Amino acid sequence: MHALESADRGVTRRTRSGVHLLSAHGRVGQLHSLAERIHDAADEVPLTDSVHAGVNILDDLADSSRGIAGLITHLTAATAVAARTERGRAPEADITPRTVTQLAHTVGALGHALADLGEAVVHAGVLHQLAASGRSTRRNQDVEARQALLRARIDSARSRLHKSGALLHQAANRLAAPPTPSHSPRANATSPITTPSATPSRTR
């Protein structure tokens, strides 16, 4: 079953090609559901307290990375299905392209979060090596520095996930809101989409 179709089977409609497409209400519900899954993934990211305790968190990082990678695959599939959806008449005409855009941006944010965890794995690996080395002032300094870098990457991943989940919730609420006279569905559907600015480089 396609990712987009599984959100709410009770609000689908059949096209002439026989493909079931979600109604406007169904797409809104789907975005809320996906946002909750992203928040759940954020809650599963390891706590930085484990870094202070010197616990090897590689297994926890592996679990979180696997979960985020699964979400990326799921949302990318949902984006592809939404992009293939026929544009119906108002008020749904504007909802489909906005859904595609929001899902695509969310996939990008999840990719950055996964990259953060990838860097966290590198720092955790170095800490594992340092733990096996002889004790010295230099070694202790290296451990503290790596722990700080590890905590920063973990916190960044969690923050990105919570932010992307919140933005997806907000997008769903905007789609569910009734159109205003100054922003009619037909006007929005023909308005050009502003190209998002490039994401600035993260400070290490």
Side-chain angles (χ1 to χ4, degrees), residues 76-99:
T76 301
T79 306
V81 173
R84 292 196 301 268
T85 300
E86 291 183 0
R87 292 188 179 184
R89 296 181 179 179
E92 294 186 24
D94 186 43
I95 289 181
T96 297
R98 283 192 290 164
T99 300

Side-chain angles (χ1 to χ4, degrees), residues 164-184:
S164 62
L167 290 175
L168 203 56
H169 268 305
Q170 294 171 11
N173 291 336
R174 287 195 298 270
L175 291 176
T180 59
S182 59
H183 296 83
S184 64

Side-chain angles (χ1 to χ4, degrees), residues 46-76:
L47 296 176
T48 51
D49 290 344
S50 59
V51 178
H52 291 286
V55 178
N56 192 328
I57 62 171
L58 285 171
D59 287 334
D60 293 334
L61 289 173
D63 291 339
S64 291
S65 299
R66 188 180 303 110
I68 296 172
L71 279 174
I72 290 175
T73 300
H74 185 81
L75 267 74
T76 301

Side-chain angles (χ1 to χ4, degrees), residues 80-148:
V81 173
R84 292 196 301 268
T85 300
E86 291 183 0
R87 292 188 179 184
R89 296 181 179 179
E92 294 186 24
D94 186 43
I95 289 181
T96 297
R98 283 192 290 164
T99 300
V100 172
T101 301
Q102 187 58 55
L103 287 172
H105 280 298
T106 303
V107 170
L110 293 179
H112 286 300
L114 186 59
D116 281 331
L117 291 188
E119 293 183 31
V121 170
V122 173
H123 299 313
V126 174
L127 283 172
H128 183 77
Q129 179 181 359
L130 289 172
S133 61
R135 294 182 177 275
S136 66
T137 301
R138 176 62 182 274
R139 180 258 191 186
N140 292 339
Q141 292 174 344
D142 289 343
V143 167
E144 291 180 1
R146 283 289 173 174
Q147 285 180 338

Side-chain angles (χ1 to χ4, degrees), residues 21-47:
L21 303 175
L22 283 176
S23 67
H25 176 73
R27 294 191 192 101
V28 170
Q30 180 205 32
L31 294 185
H32 279 302
S33 177
L34 291 173
E36 286 301 320
R37 290 184 59 180
I38 294 173
H39 283 303
D40 289 342
D43 292 337
E44 293 299 322
V45 173
L47 296 176

